[in-house]
Amino acid sequence: MKSLFLISIAIALLASVHSEAQSFKWAFSAGNHVDDANIGIETDQEGNVYTLGLISWGSVGNANANFQAYHITKQNKDGLHLWSKFMIYKPSMRIYDFKLYDNKLYVAGEFGDNFVYDGKAYNPGSNTQSNVLCVNTDGEYQWVTGYQFYVRGIYANNDGLFLSGFFVNSLKLGRYVHYSFSHKLHNFLLKLDDDHEVVWGAFSLGTLAPYVTSDSKGNIYIAGYGESFPFSINDITYTAQNSSFIAKYSKDGVLIWVEYFYTEYGRNNPTDIVVDGDDNVIVAFDNVGKAIFHDFSIYMVGTILFKFNENGRRMWKRTFNGADNCKLATDADNGIIAAFSRNSISVIDDYPGEVLQLPAGSLLIVKFHPLGFQQWARVGG
């Protein structure tokens, strides 16, 4: 699970706007340029914090980068900077996901030739479309590899390493080949062994599903959206245009269930997915237009938050007008922490009597009880 350190490191100044005000512990910043960006954050069992971001000629803790670079940074639970490692930026370079598991950090992106990490050059493979880098929790290089397809999400657990992304026409990894002759984008979910060979693959044609997580039993969840009309998941065709979906697979790659909703006019797409300690799944969607999900429909420009049980039954939903780009975390009590970007000064919840009128701010963080009611909210400007 992600940690509440996500909140501490993301926001420097917060104003309490609801009950159960939370005490501010520490903040950490990197770089000093308008183009600087945070990409991912992970924590380990000791409370150490690992962040990945992009800086332009700035500093990260006591480490200086006299060049534009992606950085991986480690701090202890009190915010003390321990180390930073840099990957020299190139205009063609992109990083999409960042995960920690079993004292290894995995970075998924597009590195290109002559990839430089911690001052040393590595060749991840010529003419590759995407790459995965592995380093240990001391920042030491372990391996880098290249693929002839586009990786957008990465996840690791006791059963192995999982990649999610897309391909056009055909996908090949070692001895494993999957063909599609339509000129569309097709999503894949691949499980790899220790030698980076494919154990199994699952495919959803005409979709993109970059968000991946798993539960305590090793089942895998992906969240994505239909890139074409119609789209299919494991040979099941869905004819709803502009649809977002959640799919659950067993640890052996067998599809267990799919839930989806669509926008009658407009668009929607997922922005994050997490699983709590009881194996319930929480997913956030950005929506523009009229969203329809079974017996629920709403016209809005904002974020819709759903919670499902492990069998795919919807437990509750929350809506936030004027919010977007929601990122999720869970805590030890199965509470849900949602961080939003905001485009309006009011966030309206769909529970009767719960209307938040918030001052202008660029970031909103809300904690929900496992049953869905709001416990506190904070705003960062």
Side-chain angles (χ1 to χ4, degrees), residues 262-336:
Y262 69 98
T263 302
E264 192 171 80
Y265 41 87
R267 62 169 177 81
N268 61 60
N269 59 273
T271 59
D272 207 1
I273 183 171
V274 294
V275 173
D276 68 17
D278 291 331
D279 288 342
N280 302 305
V281 58
I282 303 97
V283 62
F285 297 93
D286 279 352
N287 186 81
V288 177
K290 184 179 180 181
I292 300 173
F293 179 87
H294 296 308
D295 59 340
F296 159 68
S297 66
I298 186 173
Y299 180 86
M300 64 174 295
V301 177
T303 294
I304 304 174
L305 191 64
F306 286 110
K307 181 175 181 179
F308 299 89
N309 70 9
E310 62 180 334
N311 297 316
R313 183 179 63 83
R314 191 185 77 202
M315 302 175 71
W316 50 258
K317 69 180 185 302
R318 308 303 298 266
T319 58
F320 291 83
N321 284 333
D324 62 10
N325 195 30
C326 177
K327 299 301 179 183
L328 299 169
T330 59
D331 63 18
D333 299 321
N334 290 333
I336 300 148

Side-chain angles (χ1 to χ4, degrees), residues 80-339:
L80 177 66
H81 177 258
L82 300 178
W83 54 258
S84 290
K85 305 292 183 180
F86 298 101
M87 296 170 278
I88 296 178
Y89 173 83
K90 296 178 292 186
S92 60
M93 189 175 180
R94 300 289 185 273
I95 292 181
Y96 298 104
D97 204 4
F98 175 61
K99 290 293 186 296
L100 167 69
Y101 180 73
D102 194 25
N103 296 317
K104 298 290 192 302
L105 295 161
Y106 299 93
V107 180
E110 298 167 7
F111 304 158
D113 298 336
N114 299 317
F115 167 66
V116 177
Y117 174 79
D118 194 24
K120 296 181 181 180
Y122 300 93
N123 184 6
S126 60
N127 300 317
T128 58
Q129 295 170 327
S130 63
N131 310 96
V132 173
L133 168 70
C134 177
V135 303
N136 64 22
T137 49
D138 292 322
E140 298 168 338
Y141 172 88
Q142 303 296 295
W143 52 263
V144 66
T145 189
Y147 300 110
Q148 297 294 329
F149 48 80
Y150 299 92
V151 178
R152 290 296 182 267
I154 189 167
Y155 192 81
N157 63 19
N158 287 333
D159 294 308
L161 185 66
F162 299 84
L163 303 180
S164 178
F166 67 91
F167 65 98
V168 181
N169 297 332
S170 65
L171 178 149
K172 183 177 182 181
L173 178 61
R175 58 182 179 270
Y176 193 93
V177 182
H178 182 85
Y179 291 104
S180 173
F181 295 101
S182 61
H183 297 284
K184 299 176 182 178
L185 301 182
H186 307 300
N187 190 79
F188 61 79
L189 174 65
L190 301 177
K191 178 182 177 181
L192 308 183
D193 62 20
D194 292 340
D195 296 321
H196 315 143
E197 290 285 346
V198 172
V199 178
W200 55 256
F203 304 93
S204 48
L205 304 184
T207 72
L208 293 176
Y211 300 98
V212 187
T213 190
S214 73
D215 62 21
S216 64
K217 302 177 182 68
N219 299 305
I220 304 297
Y221 298 82
I222 61 172
Y225 60 96
E227 182 71 9
S228 61
F229 176 79
F231 67 93
S232 62
I233 302 174
N234 281 43
D235 299 324
I236 302 172
T237 299
Y238 299 88
T239 59
Q241 196 169 7
N242 300 323
S243 297
S244 290
F245 66 88
I246 313 167
K248 179 180 180 179
Y249 294 88
S250 73
K251 63 181 180 180
D252 299 317
V254 177
L255 181 66
I256 298 175
W257 55 257
V258 175
E259 286 290 350
Y260 78 98
F261 76 97
Y262 69 98
T263 302
E264 192 171 80
Y265 41 87
R267 62 169 177 81
N268 61 60
N269 59 273
T271 59
D272 207 1
I273 183 171
V274 294
V275 173
D276 68 17
D278 291 331
D279 288 342
N280 302 305
V281 58
I282 303 97
V283 62
F285 297 93
D286 279 352
N287 186 81
V288 177
K290 184 179 180 181
I292 300 173
F293 179 87
H294 296 308
D295 59 340
F296 159 68
S297 66
I298 186 173
Y299 180 86
M300 64 174 295
V301 177
T303 294
I304 304 174
L305 191 64
F306 286 110
K307 181 175 181 179
F308 299 89
N309 70 9
E310 62 180 334
N311 297 316
R313 183 179 63 83
R314 191 185 77 202
M315 302 175 71
W316 50 258
K317 69 180 185 302
R318 308 303 298 266
T319 58
F320 291 83
N321 284 333
D324 62 10
N325 195 30
C326 177
K327 299 301 179 183
L328 299 169
T330 59
D331 63 18
D333 299 321
N334 290 333
I336 300 148
I337 300 93

